[in-house]
Amino acid sequence: MGPLADCLGSPLEAFVITDPKMINSAGLPAVALGVTATSASDVRMEICAAAPDAAGAQAFASGFAEAVGSGQDYMTNQPWANLLSNPQTSVIGGADHVVRLSATPTGGQGAALPEAPMSSGADRRLNRRRTSPPGRNHP
């Protein structure tokens, strides 16, 4: 999990999904999700994944912008374009073939990570201090 945590940087909140059904992508053993922000108007959703090889990392990065533009979130059944905008990708590489995907949430004042369903694959929170995004109170 170390390379994925390093990929996220210093998120306000983050968690790692290891359940293959939740990841819904062949070949990815884990996906880390986080929220970064310098202000309430500068919130970014960060997604980091370790691909099985360099070609898989490049393919995952290339497909992200297309997915945000025309794909659908299979858990919420909403078009990704209704949830995220301004997708950016970065192939970090390394021995774990890490890819960082980043996008701006489309919802008004920013967003916080939704609570992960407490299943065997989504209950592993990264060792990060939990705080609220700027301009938003945390329950």
Side-chain angles (χ1 to χ4, degrees):
M1 302 293 167
L4 296 181
D6 292 343
C7 170
L8 287 177
S10 298
L12 300 171
E13 187 173 2
F15 63 88
V16 175
I17 298 172
T18 58
D19 182 344
K21 291 178 185 175
M22 291 180 72
I23 295 172
N24 196 30
S25 181
L28 298 178
V31 175
L33 298 107
V35 174
T36 61
T38 56
S39 70
S41 63
D42 181 39
V43 176
R44 300 280 302 171
M45 298 297 293
E46 307 290 342
I47 304 166
C48 293
D53 54 33
Q58 188 60 52
F60 190 61
S62 298
F64 180 65
E66 182 181 332
V68 170
S70 62
Q72 192 163 357
D73 179 0
Y74 81 100
M75 292 182 76
T76 65
N77 207 30
Q78 291 186 48
W80 279 111
N82 290 352
L83 304 171
L84 301 171
S85 65
N86 189 25
Q88 298 175 0
T89 62
S90 172
V91 177
I92 296 170
D96 294 299
H97 311 290
V98 174
V99 180
R100 179 186 306 125
L101 314 171
S102 179
T104 304
T106 56
Q109 301 178 48
L113 275 178
E115 288 299 317
M118 295 308 283
S119 71
S120 62
D123 57 356
R124 298 180 185 159
R125 293 205 176 253
L126 293 175
N127 186 19
R128 302 283 189 210
R129 192 177 97 223
R130 184 176 173 155
T131 59
S132 298
R136 182 168 177 160
N137 293 328
H138 204 32

